[in-house]
Amino acid sequence: MAIRVQAEDFDVGAEYAALTRGRSSIGGVTLFSGLVRDMAGGAAVSAMTLEHYPGMTEKQLEAIEAEARRRWPLDDVLIIHRYGRLEPGDQIVLVATASAHRDAAFDSCRFLIDWLKTKAPFWKLEATPDGERWVEAKDSDDSAAARWDP
Amino acid sequence: MAIRVQAEDFDVGAEYAALTRGRSSIGGVTLFSGLVRDMAGGAAVSAMTLEHYPGMTEKQLEAIEAEARRRWPLDDVLIIHRYGRLEPGDQIVLVATASAHRDAAFDSCRFLIDWLKTKAPFWKLEATPDGERWVEAKDSDDSAAARWDP
Amino acid sequence: MKIFYFAWLRTKIGVPSETVDLPAEVKTVGALVDWLKTRSPKHAEALANSKVVKVAVNQEHVPYDHPIEPGDEVALFPPVTGG
Amino acid sequence: MKIFYFAWLRTKIGVPSETVDLPAEVKTVGALVDWLKTRSPKHAEALANSKVVKVAVNQEHVPYDHPIEPGDEVALFPPVTGG
């Protein structure tokens, strides 16, 4: 359905409704939303700024969506990723997949978020009591994405 | 948070909002909704009636929720399952989990729906052009649940 | 003892529940299912294949060797298909 | 050739992008990174550890042996941390 890269917040209920409205071929929808936590690596986080690479971001997300559709029978896919300044509790990312089959919906949703975390050009800058710091990439994200290697 | 067994429809947006509102410890929410498909086993389905075992249903769902909370660090869990007559496109079930960690949210949500499908006393009666038929349990659901055996 | 039936066990047997006077020698779930088969041809047919007859005692799934006692709430049903 | 920098590569080098005149012998991404290190101490420090310097050419992730050509859009950045 859509890839959206935006500063604005998104409405999960409205997106879910748009995904399912008037369709009776969908057996299951899996949805994942990522939010800003108030703690990271043992430090309080008061704000987070997401930088991205306009153009490449959309290109990578479209490639990830195409790959998911190639691997699973999906009725629909939605990826929304925000950039800019966010605060704890704010939504960062939404991934939703709809399929006739529950396993396809679950696997594809997780594939998308795992891949997005290692391929989509976003970088997080956290504001903590000790000042600003760039979030370091986690090995666990690499290994999560590697699960899906062909 | 809640186990609800009800005839009424549910509002995914409102449930998601209630789950996340005012919280900044949540890093991710995974949500799965199951819907009535218009086709099943090659036959057109015009309606589905969900029978359940009042009392045992709630007891089983509470046990499943407790098991999920024992296995994963969860900020919240929501399970809603409907009964009664439903039509294609209607929502049947909602499972949502919130955690500081994406893997915990994903794994627990899938665990809950896999277990629910083999433990919660619901039975589906489909209306097809050839008359009514009780849905047969799938081996694939048993093996999906068996993945989570300790 | 009150026995509940669900889904196609209910429609095949024809009632959602029934109250039975169990003989004293019926002490397990398996013995109960066998004894219920003798109540009518409908019972016999509905309960013929024990692989698809699941039993809950006091709203918990139990195996066929589970004991039953007076006052237990017993339910028979096919494998569940919700979700 | 225009080079874009993101995240801490941008803040360490001090500019979000710069236009450079590449010597003809710089033909791969790896050679480009090495050549950029010679532009200033800030460049040298920011690009010191190639394990955390990722490169995209024309908005695609590429390895260090990837060729570069005049007119390519090149970006250097740390491992991504979105989602």
Side-chain angles (χ1 to χ4, degrees), chain B residues 51-53 55-56 59-60 81 117-120 122-124 134-135, chain C residues 6-8 10 56 58-61 73 75 77-83:
Chain B
E51 180 171 333
H52 78 123
Y53 180 177
M56 180 169 174
K59 202 170 172 176
Q60 287 298 312
H81 204 303
K117 284 196 164 262
T118 59
K119 299 283 183 185
F122 286 95
W123 301 272
K124 286 174 179 161
W134 290 96
V135 172
Chain C
F6 291 97
W8 56 255
R10 173 177 58 72
N58 300 327
Q59 306 186 349
E60 298 282 358
H61 296 280
E73 177 179 320
F77 45 76
V80 306
T81 56

PDB file of all heavy atoms in Angstrom, chain B residues 51-53 55-56 59-60 81 117-120 122-124 134-135, chain C residues 6-8 10 56 58-61 73 75 77-83:
ATOM      1  N   GLU B  51     -18.785 -20.576  18.537  1.00  0.00           N
ATOM      2  CA  GLU B  51     -19.310 -21.086  19.800  1.00  0.00           C
ATOM      3  C   GLU B  51     -18.160 -21.122  20.797  1.00  0.00           C
ATOM      4  O   GLU B  51     -17.001 -21.312  20.410  1.00  0.00           O
ATOM      5  CB  GLU B  51     -19.830 -22.505  19.552  1.00  0.00           C
ATOM      6  CG  GLU B  51     -20.410 -23.182  20.783  1.00  0.00           C
ATOM      7  CD  GLU B  51     -21.113 -24.505  20.427  1.00  0.00           C
ATOM      8  OE1 GLU B  51     -21.597 -24.641  19.287  1.00  0.00           O
ATOM      9  OE2 GLU B  51     -21.161 -25.391  21.303  1.00  0.00           O
ATOM     10  N   HIS B  52     -18.441 -20.932  22.062  1.00  0.00           N
ATOM     11  CA  HIS B  52     -17.363 -21.069  23.044  1.00  0.00           C
ATOM     12  C   HIS B  52     -17.921 -21.656  24.337  1.00  0.00           C
ATOM     13  O   HIS B  52     -19.119 -21.945  24.436  1.00  0.00           O
ATOM     14  CB  HIS B  52     -16.659 -19.734  23.277  1.00  0.00           C
ATOM     15  CG  HIS B  52     -17.392 -18.780  24.174  1.00  0.00           C
ATOM     16  ND1 HIS B  52     -16.814 -18.288  25.312  1.00  0.00           N
ATOM     17  CD2 HIS B  52     -18.621 -18.243  24.094  1.00  0.00           C
ATOM     18  CE1 HIS B  52     -17.681 -17.470  25.898  1.00  0.00           C
ATOM     19  NE2 HIS B  52     -18.771 -17.422  25.181  1.00  0.00           N
ATOM     20  N   TYR B  53     -17.057 -21.868  25.281  1.00  0.00           N
ATOM     21  CA  TYR B  53     -17.394 -22.500  26.550  1.00  0.00           C
ATOM     22  C   TYR B  53     -17.219 -21.410  27.621  1.00  0.00           C
ATOM     23  O   TYR B  53     -16.104 -21.227  28.131  1.00  0.00           O
ATOM     24  CB  TYR B  53     -16.454 -23.676  26.775  1.00  0.00           C
ATOM     25  CG  TYR B  53     -16.598 -24.501  28.034  1.00  0.00           C
ATOM     26  CD1 TYR B  53     -15.789 -25.615  28.230  1.00  0.00           C
ATOM     27  CD2 TYR B  53     -17.550 -24.210  29.034  1.00  0.00           C
ATOM     28  CE1 TYR B  53     -15.884 -26.411  29.371  1.00  0.00           C
ATOM     29  CE2 TYR B  53     -17.654 -24.991  30.173  1.00  0.00           C
ATOM     30  CZ  TYR B  53     -16.820 -26.086  30.346  1.00  0.00           C
ATOM     31  OH  TYR B  53     -16.913 -26.859  31.479  1.00  0.00           O
ATOM     32  N   GLY B  55     -16.686 -19.300  30.741  1.00  0.00           N
ATOM     33  CA  GLY B  55     -16.038 -19.711  31.985  1.00  0.00           C
ATOM     34  C   GLY B  55     -14.693 -20.330  31.678  1.00  0.00           C
ATOM     35  O   GLY B  55     -13.650 -19.792  32.026  1.00  0.00           O
ATOM     36  N   MET B  56     -14.715 -21.459  30.958  1.00  0.00           N
ATOM     37  CA  MET B  56     -13.444 -22.089  30.607  1.00  0.00           C
ATOM     38  C   MET B  56     -12.643 -21.181  29.670  1.00  0.00           C
ATOM     39  O   MET B  56     -11.412 -21.102  29.769  1.00  0.00           O
ATOM     40  CB  MET B  56     -13.661 -23.448  29.942  1.00  0.00           C
ATOM     41  CG  MET B  56     -12.323 -24.102  29.570  1.00  0.00           C
ATOM     42  SD  MET B  56     -12.468 -25.828  29.078  1.00  0.00           S
ATOM     43  CE  MET B  56     -10.771 -26.161  28.553  1.00  0.00           C
ATOM     44  N   LYS B  59     -10.865 -18.603  31.646  1.00  0.00           N
ATOM     45  CA  LYS B  59      -9.842 -19.268  32.466  1.00  0.00           C
ATOM     46  C   LYS B  59      -8.613 -19.627  31.630  1.00  0.00           C
ATOM     47  O   LYS B  59      -7.466 -19.423  32.045  1.00  0.00           O
ATOM     48  CB  LYS B  59     -10.478 -20.537  33.051  1.00  0.00           C
ATOM     49  CG  LYS B  59      -9.817 -21.078  34.285  1.00  0.00           C
ATOM     50  CD  LYS B  59     -10.703 -22.179  34.890  1.00  0.00           C
ATOM     51  CE  LYS B  59      -9.970 -22.871  36.019  1.00  0.00           C
ATOM     52  NZ  LYS B  59     -10.835 -23.877  36.694  1.00  0.00           N
ATOM     53  N   GLN B  60      -8.859 -20.181  30.437  1.00  0.00           N
ATOM     54  CA  GLN B  60      -7.740 -20.560  29.571  1.00  0.00           C
ATOM     55  C   GLN B  60      -6.973 -19.339  29.092  1.00  0.00           C
ATOM     56  O   GLN B  60      -5.741 -19.335  29.042  1.00  0.00           O
ATOM     57  CB  GLN B  60      -8.251 -21.362  28.368  1.00  0.00           C
ATOM     58  CG  GLN B  60      -8.689 -22.766  28.721  1.00  0.00           C
ATOM     59  CD  GLN B  60      -7.555 -23.609  29.273  1.00  0.00           C
ATOM     60  OE1 GLN B  60      -6.472 -23.639  28.703  1.00  0.00           O
ATOM     61  NE2 GLN B  60      -7.780 -24.264  30.398  1.00  0.00           N
ATOM     62  N   HIS B  81     -11.447 -11.816  22.295  1.00  0.00           N
ATOM     63  CA  HIS B  81     -11.940 -12.836  21.362  1.00  0.00           C
ATOM     64  C   HIS B  81     -13.451 -12.736  21.307  1.00  0.00           C
ATOM     65  O   HIS B  81     -14.114 -12.701  22.337  1.00  0.00           O
ATOM     66  CB  HIS B  81     -11.512 -14.237  21.814  1.00  0.00           C
ATOM     67  CG  HIS B  81     -11.470 -15.237  20.694  1.00  0.00           C
ATOM     68  ND1 HIS B  81     -12.557 -15.530  19.895  1.00  0.00           N
ATOM     69  CD2 HIS B  81     -10.461 -16.011  20.231  1.00  0.00           C
ATOM     70  CE1 HIS B  81     -12.222 -16.443  19.006  1.00  0.00           C
ATOM     71  NE2 HIS B  81     -10.939 -16.751  19.185  1.00  0.00           N
ATOM     72  N   LYS B 117      -5.053 -20.726  19.800  1.00  0.00           N
ATOM     73  CA  LYS B 117      -5.665 -21.551  18.749  1.00  0.00           C
ATOM     74  C   LYS B 117      -5.750 -23.021  19.118  1.00  0.00           C
ATOM     75  O   LYS B 117      -6.486 -23.771  18.475  1.00  0.00           O
ATOM     76  CB  LYS B 117      -4.885 -21.388  17.437  1.00  0.00           C
ATOM     77  CG  LYS B 117      -5.190 -20.072  16.746  1.00  0.00           C
ATOM     78  CD  LYS B 117      -4.744 -20.086  15.302  1.00  0.00           C
ATOM     79  CE  LYS B 117      -5.385 -18.957  14.524  1.00  0.00           C
ATOM     80  NZ  LYS B 117      -6.575 -19.373  13.764  1.00  0.00           N
ATOM     81  N   THR B 118      -4.973 -23.446  20.097  1.00  0.00           N
ATOM     82  CA  THR B 118      -5.015 -24.865  20.461  1.00  0.00           C
ATOM     83  C   THR B 118      -5.577 -25.105  21.863  1.00  0.00           C
ATOM     84  O   THR B 118      -5.846 -26.254  22.220  1.00  0.00           O
ATOM     85  CB  THR B 118      -3.607 -25.506  20.393  1.00  0.00           C
ATOM     86  OG1 THR B 118      -2.746 -24.799  21.290  1.00  0.00           O
ATOM     87  CG2 THR B 118      -3.039 -25.434  18.994  1.00  0.00           C
ATOM     88  N   LYS B 119      -5.732 -24.047  22.663  1.00  0.00           N
ATOM     89  CA  LYS B 119      -6.166 -24.206  24.052  1.00  0.00           C
ATOM     90  C   LYS B 119      -7.492 -23.530  24.369  1.00  0.00           C
ATOM     91  O   LYS B 119      -8.216 -23.970  25.270  1.00  0.00           O
ATOM     92  CB  LYS B 119      -5.100 -23.608  24.996  1.00  0.00           C
ATOM     93  CG  LYS B 119      -3.735 -24.259  24.905  1.00  0.00           C
ATOM     94  CD  LYS B 119      -3.698 -25.581  25.621  1.00  0.00           C
ATOM     95  CE  LYS B 119      -2.287 -26.168  25.558  1.00  0.00           C
ATOM     96  NZ  LYS B 119      -2.238 -27.508  26.134  1.00  0.00           N
ATOM     97  N   ALA B 120      -7.793 -22.424  23.733  1.00  0.00           N
ATOM     98  CA  ALA B 120      -9.008 -21.682  24.092  1.00  0.00           C
ATOM     99  C   ALA B 120     -10.229 -22.361  23.461  1.00  0.00           C
ATOM    100  O   ALA B 120     -10.229 -22.634  22.259  1.00  0.00           O
ATOM    101  CB  ALA B 120      -8.900 -20.231  23.638  1.00  0.00           C
ATOM    102  N   PHE B 122     -12.948 -22.467  21.661  1.00  0.00           N
ATOM    103  CA  PHE B 122     -13.804 -21.844  20.640  1.00  0.00           C
ATOM    104  C   PHE B 122     -13.940 -22.823  19.489  1.00  0.00           C
ATOM    105  O   PHE B 122     -12.984 -23.544  19.159  1.00  0.00           O
ATOM    106  CB  PHE B 122     -13.161 -20.570  20.089  1.00  0.00           C
ATOM    107  CG  PHE B 122     -13.191 -19.394  21.022  1.00  0.00           C
ATOM    108  CD1 PHE B 122     -12.106 -19.124  21.834  1.00  0.00           C
ATOM    109  CD2 PHE B 122     -14.288 -18.549  21.067  1.00  0.00           C
ATOM    110  CE1 PHE B 122     -12.120 -18.030  22.689  1.00  0.00           C
ATOM    111  CE2 PHE B 122     -14.302 -17.451  21.915  1.00  0.00           C
ATOM    112  CZ  PHE B 122     -13.216 -17.195  22.736  1.00  0.00           C
ATOM    113  N   TRP B 123     -15.104 -22.805  18.868  1.00  0.00           N
ATOM    114  CA  TRP B 123     -15.326 -23.640  17.684  1.00  0.00           C
ATOM    115  C   TRP B 123     -16.037 -22.825  16.639  1.00  0.00           C
ATOM    116  O   TRP B 123     -16.993 -22.104  16.936  1.00  0.00           O
ATOM    117  CB  TRP B 123     -16.158 -24.881  18.043  1.00  0.00           C
ATOM    118  CG  TRP B 123     -15.482 -25.691  19.093  1.00  0.00           C
ATOM    119  CD1 TRP B 123     -14.565 -26.675  18.898  1.00  0.00           C
ATOM    120  CD2 TRP B 123     -15.654 -25.553  20.517  1.00  0.00           C
ATOM    121  NE1 TRP B 123     -14.140 -27.164  20.109  1.00  0.00           N
ATOM    122  CE2 TRP B 123     -14.786 -26.506  21.116  1.00  0.00           C
ATOM    123  CE3 TRP B 123     -16.433 -24.739  21.337  1.00  0.00           C
ATOM    124  CZ2 TRP B 123     -14.697 -26.659  22.499  1.00  0.00           C
ATOM    125  CZ3 TRP B 123     -16.340 -24.890  22.718  1.00  0.00           C
ATOM    126  CH2 TRP B 123     -15.479 -25.836  23.290  1.00  0.00           C
ATOM    127  N   LYS B 124     -15.549 -22.980  15.388  1.00  0.00           N
ATOM    128  CA  LYS B 124     -16.102 -22.198  14.276  1.00  0.00           C
ATOM    129  C   LYS B 124     -17.043 -23.045  13.429  1.00  0.00           C
ATOM    130  O   LYS B 124     -16.683 -24.134  12.984  1.00  0.00           O
ATOM    131  CB  LYS B 124     -14.962 -21.707  13.382  1.00  0.00           C
ATOM    132  CG  LYS B 124     -14.145 -20.574  13.974  1.00  0.00           C
ATOM    133  CD  LYS B 124     -12.949 -20.269  13.076  1.00  0.00           C
ATOM    134  CE  LYS B 124     -12.131 -19.114  13.640  1.00  0.00           C
ATOM    135  NZ  LYS B 124     -10.770 -19.100  13.071  1.00  0.00           N
ATOM    136  N   TRP B 134     -18.642 -27.554  10.504  1.00  0.00           N
ATOM    137  CA  TRP B 134     -17.730 -27.204  11.584  1.00  0.00           C
ATOM    138  C   TRP B 134     -16.306 -27.207  11.051  1.00  0.00           C
ATOM    139  O   TRP B 134     -15.902 -28.153  10.384  1.00  0.00           O
ATOM    140  CB  TRP B 134     -17.855 -28.196  12.745  1.00  0.00           C
ATOM    141  CG  TRP B 134     -19.165 -28.042  13.460  1.00  0.00           C
ATOM    142  CD1 TRP B 134     -20.299 -28.780  13.253  1.00  0.00           C
ATOM    143  CD2 TRP B 134     -19.483 -27.075  14.462  1.00  0.00           C
ATOM    144  NE1 TRP B 134     -21.316 -28.323  14.060  1.00  0.00           N
ATOM    145  CE2 TRP B 134     -20.845 -27.280  14.830  1.00  0.00           C
ATOM    146  CE3 TRP B 134     -18.767 -26.046  15.087  1.00  0.00           C
ATOM    147  CZ2 TRP B 134     -21.485 -26.496  15.795  1.00  0.00           C
ATOM    148  CZ3 TRP B 134     -19.411 -25.276  16.050  1.00  0.00           C
ATOM    149  CH2 TRP B 134     -20.744 -25.497  16.391  1.00  0.00           C
ATOM    150  N   VAL B 135     -15.568 -26.167  11.357  1.00  0.00           N
ATOM    151  CA  VAL B 135     -14.176 -26.089  10.918  1.00  0.00           C
ATOM    152  C   VAL B 135     -13.365 -27.163  11.638  1.00  0.00           C
ATOM    153  O   VAL B 135     -13.536 -27.375  12.840  1.00  0.00           O
ATOM    154  CB  VAL B 135     -13.601 -24.688  11.227  1.00  0.00           C
ATOM    155  CG1 VAL B 135     -12.096 -24.629  10.954  1.00  0.00           C
ATOM    156  CG2 VAL B 135     -14.340 -23.631  10.409  1.00  0.00           C
TER     157      VAL B 135
ATOM    158  N   PHE C   6     -20.086 -29.497  23.305  1.00  0.00           N
ATOM    159  CA  PHE C   6     -19.905 -28.315  22.455  1.00  0.00           C
ATOM    160  C   PHE C   6     -19.690 -28.712  21.003  1.00  0.00           C
ATOM    161  O   PHE C   6     -19.280 -29.825  20.693  1.00  0.00           O
ATOM    162  CB  PHE C   6     -18.722 -27.475  22.942  1.00  0.00           C
ATOM    163  CG  PHE C   6     -18.983 -26.796  24.258  1.00  0.00           C
ATOM    164  CD1 PHE C   6     -18.542 -27.364  25.443  1.00  0.00           C
ATOM    165  CD2 PHE C   6     -19.700 -25.603  24.314  1.00  0.00           C
ATOM    166  CE1 PHE C   6     -18.799 -26.755  26.662  1.00  0.00           C
ATOM    167  CE2 PHE C   6     -19.962 -24.979  25.532  1.00  0.00           C
ATOM    168  CZ  PHE C   6     -19.519 -25.558  26.712  1.00  0.00           C
ATOM    169  N   ALA C   7     -19.996 -27.719  20.130  1.00  0.00           N
ATOM    170  CA  ALA C   7     -19.738 -27.810  18.687  1.00  0.00           C
ATOM    171  C   ALA C   7     -20.433 -29.055  18.118  1.00  0.00           C
ATOM    172  O   ALA C   7     -21.591 -29.312  18.442  1.00  0.00           O
ATOM    173  CB  ALA C   7     -18.238 -27.773  18.405  1.00  0.00           C
ATOM    174  N   TRP C   8     -19.738 -29.847  17.271  1.00  0.00           N
ATOM    175  CA  TRP C   8     -20.473 -30.942  16.627  1.00  0.00           C
ATOM    176  C   TRP C   8     -20.804 -32.073  17.582  1.00  0.00           C
ATOM    177  O   TRP C   8     -21.687 -32.886  17.297  1.00  0.00           O
ATOM    178  CB  TRP C   8     -19.808 -31.422  15.346  1.00  0.00           C
ATOM    179  CG  TRP C   8     -18.370 -31.866  15.427  1.00  0.00           C
ATOM    180  CD1 TRP C   8     -17.292 -31.184  15.002  1.00  0.00           C
ATOM    181  CD2 TRP C   8     -17.882 -33.121  15.952  1.00  0.00           C
ATOM    182  NE1 TRP C   8     -16.138 -31.902  15.227  1.00  0.00           N
ATOM    183  CE2 TRP C   8     -16.466 -33.098  15.807  1.00  0.00           C
ATOM    184  CE3 TRP C   8     -18.478 -34.243  16.524  1.00  0.00           C
ATOM    185  CZ2 TRP C   8     -15.651 -34.149  16.217  1.00  0.00           C
ATOM    186  CZ3 TRP C   8     -17.668 -35.300  16.927  1.00  0.00           C
ATOM    187  CH2 TRP C   8     -16.271 -35.244  16.783  1.00  0.00           C
ATOM    188  N   ARG C  10     -22.203 -31.458  20.413  1.00  0.00           N
ATOM    189  CA  ARG C  10     -23.517 -30.970  20.835  1.00  0.00           C
ATOM    190  C   ARG C  10     -24.591 -31.256  19.772  1.00  0.00           C
ATOM    191  O   ARG C  10     -25.661 -31.775  20.094  1.00  0.00           O
ATOM    192  CB  ARG C  10     -23.438 -29.461  21.105  1.00  0.00           C
ATOM    193  CG  ARG C  10     -24.774 -28.794  21.384  1.00  0.00           C
ATOM    194  CD  ARG C  10     -24.627 -27.310  21.711  1.00  0.00           C
ATOM    195  NE  ARG C  10     -23.972 -26.535  20.666  1.00  0.00           N
ATOM    196  CZ  ARG C  10     -24.519 -26.221  19.496  1.00  0.00           C
ATOM    197  NH1 ARG C  10     -25.759 -26.605  19.207  1.00  0.00           N
ATOM    198  NH2 ARG C  10     -23.842 -25.541  18.601  1.00  0.00           N
ATOM    199  N   ALA C  56     -12.681 -31.604  29.213  1.00  0.00           N
ATOM    200  CA  ALA C  56     -12.245 -30.681  30.257  1.00  0.00           C
ATOM    201  C   ALA C  56     -12.948 -31.055  31.551  1.00  0.00           C
ATOM    202  O   ALA C  56     -14.145 -31.370  31.557  1.00  0.00           O
ATOM    203  CB  ALA C  56     -12.579 -29.236  29.889  1.00  0.00           C
ATOM    204  N   ASN C  58     -13.638 -29.445  35.273  1.00  0.00           N
ATOM    205  CA  ASN C  58     -13.562 -28.155  35.968  1.00  0.00           C
ATOM    206  C   ASN C  58     -12.828 -27.110  35.137  1.00  0.00           C
ATOM    207  O   ASN C  58     -12.007 -26.351  35.639  1.00  0.00           O
ATOM    208  CB  ASN C  58     -12.930 -28.335  37.355  1.00  0.00           C
ATOM    209  CG  ASN C  58     -13.751 -29.288  38.207  1.00  0.00           C
ATOM    210  OD1 ASN C  58     -14.986 -29.335  38.095  1.00  0.00           O
ATOM    211  ND2 ASN C  58     -13.081 -30.089  39.024  1.00  0.00           N
ATOM    212  N   GLN C  59     -13.171 -27.122  33.840  1.00  0.00           N
ATOM    213  CA  GLN C  59     -12.683 -26.111  32.888  1.00  0.00           C
ATOM    214  C   GLN C  59     -11.184 -26.158  32.619  1.00  0.00           C
ATOM    215  O   GLN C  59     -10.595 -25.181  32.173  1.00  0.00           O
ATOM    216  CB  GLN C  59     -13.119 -24.701  33.344  1.00  0.00           C
ATOM    217  CG  GLN C  59     -14.628 -24.627  33.557  1.00  0.00           C
ATOM    218  CD  GLN C  59     -15.124 -23.229  33.854  1.00  0.00           C
ATOM    219  OE1 GLN C  59     -14.337 -22.317  34.111  1.00  0.00           O
ATOM    220  NE2 GLN C  59     -16.434 -23.032  33.803  1.00  0.00           N
ATOM    221  N   GLU C  60     -10.595 -27.327  32.870  1.00  0.00           N
ATOM    222  CA  GLU C  60      -9.190 -27.530  32.487  1.00  0.00           C
ATOM    223  C   GLU C  60      -9.108 -28.719  31.541  1.00  0.00           C
ATOM    224  O   GLU C  60      -9.749 -29.741  31.770  1.00  0.00           O
ATOM    225  CB  GLU C  60      -8.322 -27.851  33.729  1.00  0.00           C
ATOM    226  CG  GLU C  60      -8.256 -26.771  34.770  1.00  0.00           C
ATOM    227  CD  GLU C  60      -7.307 -25.628  34.406  1.00  0.00           C
ATOM    228  OE1 GLU C  60      -6.654 -25.702  33.339  1.00  0.00           O
ATOM    229  OE2 GLU C  60      -7.254 -24.654  35.177  1.00  0.00           O
ATOM    230  N   HIS C  61      -8.272 -28.562  30.473  1.00  0.00           N
ATOM    231  CA  HIS C  61      -8.024 -29.704  29.591  1.00  0.00           C
ATOM    232  C   HIS C  61      -7.413 -30.842  30.406  1.00  0.00           C
ATOM    233  O   HIS C  61      -6.486 -30.619  31.189  1.00  0.00           O
ATOM    234  CB  HIS C  61      -7.028 -29.322  28.488  1.00  0.00           C
ATOM    235  CG  HIS C  61      -7.529 -28.257  27.562  1.00  0.00           C
ATOM    236  ND1 HIS C  61      -8.394 -28.517  26.531  1.00  0.00           N
ATOM    237  CD2 HIS C  61      -7.291 -26.925  27.531  1.00  0.00           C
ATOM    238  CE1 HIS C  61      -8.649 -27.387  25.878  1.00  0.00           C
ATOM    239  NE2 HIS C  61      -7.995 -26.400  26.472  1.00  0.00           N
ATOM    240  N   GLU C  73     -17.308 -30.486  37.082  1.00  0.00           N
ATOM    241  CA  GLU C  73     -17.943 -29.987  35.855  1.00  0.00           C
ATOM    242  C   GLU C  73     -17.194 -30.599  34.683  1.00  0.00           C
ATOM    243  O   GLU C  73     -15.998 -30.357  34.513  1.00  0.00           O
ATOM    244  CB  GLU C  73     -17.873 -28.453  35.814  1.00  0.00           C
ATOM    245  CG  GLU C  73     -18.450 -27.870  34.518  1.00  0.00           C
ATOM    246  CD  GLU C  73     -18.400 -26.344  34.494  1.00  0.00           C
ATOM    247  OE1 GLU C  73     -18.664 -25.717  35.547  1.00  0.00           O
ATOM    248  OE2 GLU C  73     -18.082 -25.780  33.426  1.00  0.00           O
ATOM    249  N   ALA C  75     -16.863 -31.409  30.531  1.00  0.00           N
ATOM    250  CA  ALA C  75     -17.285 -30.989  29.190  1.00  0.00           C
ATOM    251  C   ALA C  75     -16.564 -31.799  28.139  1.00  0.00           C
ATOM    252  O   ALA C  75     -15.385 -32.110  28.279  1.00  0.00           O
ATOM    253  CB  ALA C  75     -16.996 -29.502  28.994  1.00  0.00           C
ATOM    254  N   PHE C  77     -15.780 -32.009  23.931  1.00  0.00           N
ATOM    255  CA  PHE C  77     -15.817 -31.162  22.741  1.00  0.00           C
ATOM    256  C   PHE C  77     -14.762 -31.597  21.737  1.00  0.00           C
ATOM    257  O   PHE C  77     -13.803 -32.288  22.093  1.00  0.00           O
ATOM    258  CB  PHE C  77     -15.625 -29.691  23.116  1.00  0.00           C
ATOM    259  CG  PHE C  77     -14.527 -29.409  24.106  1.00  0.00           C
ATOM    260  CD1 PHE C  77     -13.187 -29.432  23.719  1.00  0.00           C
ATOM    261  CD2 PHE C  77     -14.834 -29.106  25.439  1.00  0.00           C
ATOM    262  CE1 PHE C  77     -12.181 -29.147  24.636  1.00  0.00           C
ATOM    263  CE2 PHE C  77     -13.835 -28.826  26.363  1.00  0.00           C
ATOM    264  CZ  PHE C  77     -12.495 -28.843  25.966  1.00  0.00           C
ATOM    265  N   PRO C  78     -14.922 -31.183  20.478  1.00  0.00           N
ATOM    266  CA  PRO C  78     -13.896 -31.495  19.474  1.00  0.00           C
ATOM    267  C   PRO C  78     -12.669 -30.597  19.689  1.00  0.00           C
ATOM    268  O   PRO C  78     -12.737 -29.648  20.472  1.00  0.00           O
ATOM    269  CB  PRO C  78     -14.564 -31.131  18.148  1.00  0.00           C
ATOM    270  CG  PRO C  78     -15.928 -30.649  18.452  1.00  0.00           C
ATOM    271  CD  PRO C  78     -16.053 -30.434  19.917  1.00  0.00           C
ATOM    272  N   PRO C  79     -11.564 -30.886  18.991  1.00  0.00           N
ATOM    273  CA  PRO C  79     -10.404 -29.988  19.058  1.00  0.00           C
ATOM    274  C   PRO C  79     -10.846 -28.548  18.752  1.00  0.00           C
ATOM    275  O   PRO C  79     -11.694 -28.331  17.884  1.00  0.00           O
ATOM    276  CB  PRO C  79      -9.480 -30.525  17.956  1.00  0.00           C
ATOM    277  CG  PRO C  79      -9.830 -31.975  17.866  1.00  0.00           C
ATOM    278  CD  PRO C  79     -11.302 -32.054  18.128  1.00  0.00           C
ATOM    279  N   VAL C  80     -10.261 -27.610  19.463  1.00  0.00           N
ATOM    280  CA  VAL C  80     -10.718 -26.224  19.354  1.00  0.00           C
ATOM    281  C   VAL C  80     -10.255 -25.604  18.036  1.00  0.00           C
ATOM    282  O   VAL C  80      -9.243 -25.999  17.463  1.00  0.00           O
ATOM    283  CB  VAL C  80     -10.236 -25.374  20.552  1.00  0.00           C
ATOM    284  CG1 VAL C  80     -10.647 -26.036  21.858  1.00  0.00           C
ATOM    285  CG2 VAL C  80      -8.722 -25.163  20.503  1.00  0.00           C
ATOM    286  N   THR C  81     -11.015 -24.631  17.551  1.00  0.00           N
ATOM    287  CA  THR C  81     -10.722 -24.005  16.248  1.00  0.00           C
ATOM    288  C   THR C  81     -10.943 -22.493  16.271  1.00  0.00           C
ATOM    289  O   THR C  81     -11.370 -21.895  15.285  1.00  0.00           O
ATOM    290  CB  THR C  81     -11.608 -24.627  15.137  1.00  0.00           C
ATOM    291  OG1 THR C  81     -12.993 -24.497  15.523  1.00  0.00           O
ATOM    292  CG2 THR C  81     -11.291 -26.078  14.928  1.00  0.00           C
ATOM    293  N   GLY C  82     -10.664 -21.888  17.422  1.00  0.00           N
ATOM    294  CA  GLY C  82     -10.840 -20.437  17.505  1.00  0.00           C
ATOM    295  C   GLY C  82      -9.652 -19.676  16.969  1.00  0.00           C
ATOM    296  O   GLY C  82      -8.794 -20.222  16.288  1.00  0.00           O
ATOM    297  N   GLY C  83      -9.615 -18.399  17.282  1.00  0.00           N
ATOM    298  CA  GLY C  83      -8.485 -17.543  16.938  1.00  0.00           C
ATOM    299  C   GLY C  83      -8.564 -16.998  15.542  1.00  0.00           C
ATOM    300  O   GLY C  83      -9.459 -17.297  14.794  1.00  0.00           O
TER     301      GLY C  83
END
